[in-house]
Amino acid sequence: MLRRLYDWTLSLAAGPQAPRGLAVVSFVESSVFPIPPDVLLIPMVLAERRKAWWFATICTIASVLGGLLGYLIGAVLFEEVARPILDLYGYADKFDAFSARYNSWGPWIVFIAGVTPFPFKVITIASGATGLNLAVFVLASVVARGLRFFIVAGLLYWLGPPIRAFIERRLGLVFTVFVVLLVGGFVLAKYAV
């Protein structure tokens, strides 16, 4: 089953709509969607290595724009939805203290979340909710997401055939590691934020 899914993904990755799909997934992953764009980026670069840098650029731009949506969600919906709940339970003061700590480390938090499997949407929404400086948020997001996607694309560009052969020989292992990293990121998000 994994083999068919992998082959199907590679065939889609080489299709004419793949860059548009990559942009959409990169955008929504930064604000609401749980699946990272690497799911499309990796097979797309493996299918068309000469476009690796273009695909990384698409991921970076769309991810930062999606991060701005996440920031907006945190900034706009927090007061209407979360603040009354925090007030009801007496946690508003604790959130204010959390916000101050978050904002003092904000650039590093955004950067670390942007380059790791940690769910970036958690950080984009928290950044808006805590009022992290927008320029700082955007700069940290551009650097982190660009670094992440360009490293992935670069490794696949330079090591493409051996990496592809490794993935194809050990598809089950690669899938398992990916799922563990994805779930681990969400578990870390639960306990870190």
Side-chain angles (χ1 to χ4, degrees):
M1 182 175 96
L2 278 179
R3 171 63 54 196
R4 282 196 313 260
L5 180 62
Y6 175 77
D7 291 339
W8 178 75
T9 305
L10 277 181
S11 70
L12 287 179
Q17 297 302 316
R20 186 171 293 130
L22 180 63
V24 169
V25 169
S26 297
F27 180 87
V28 297
E29 181 270 338
S30 292
S31 52
V32 294
F33 193 60
I35 307 298
D38 306 71
V39 171
L40 286 178
L41 177 63
I42 292 168
M44 287 175 68
V45 173
L46 290 175
E48 294 189 73
R49 284 178 46 220
R50 62 181 169 60
K51 293 184 178 180
W53 311 121
W54 173 239
F55 296 149
T57 301
I58 290 170
C59 274
T60 302
I61 292 170
S63 182
V64 171
L65 291 174
L68 287 170
L69 175 61
Y71 186 98
L72 183 65
I73 289 169
V76 172
L77 296 180
F78 179 79
E79 289 299 322
E80 287 76 19
V81 177
R83 179 68 72 180
I85 294 169
L86 289 172
D87 287 337
L88 178 69
Y89 290 104
Y91 290 124
D93 293 337
K94 290 180 182 177
F95 182 79
D96 292 339
F98 167 78
S99 294
R101 284 191 313 274
Y102 183 91
N103 285 332
S104 61
W105 290 95
W108 291 109
I109 294 169
V110 173
F111 179 79
I112 291 167
V115 297
T116 64
F118 190 89
F120 194 56
K121 71 203 72 21
V122 171
I123 297 305
T124 65
I125 293 169
S127 295
T130 61
L132 180 66
N133 180 286
L134 185 59
V136 167
F137 171 77
V138 170
L139 180 61
S141 295
V142 167
V143 171
R145 297 311 259 183
L147 186 64
R148 173 180 171 171
F149 298 131
F150 277 89
I151 286 174
V152 169
L155 288 172
L156 293 169
Y157 178 81
W158 286 306
L159 305 172
I163 294 290
R164 185 173 182 167
F166 174 84
I167 290 171
E168 289 176 355
R169 277 195 312 272
R170 294 171 183 85
L171 194 56
L173 174 66
V174 171
F175 179 75
T176 302
V177 168
F178 175 77
V179 170
V180 166
L181 287 173
L182 183 64
V183 171
F186 280 103
V187 169
L188 184 62
K190 179 180 178 183
Y191 293 105
V193 176

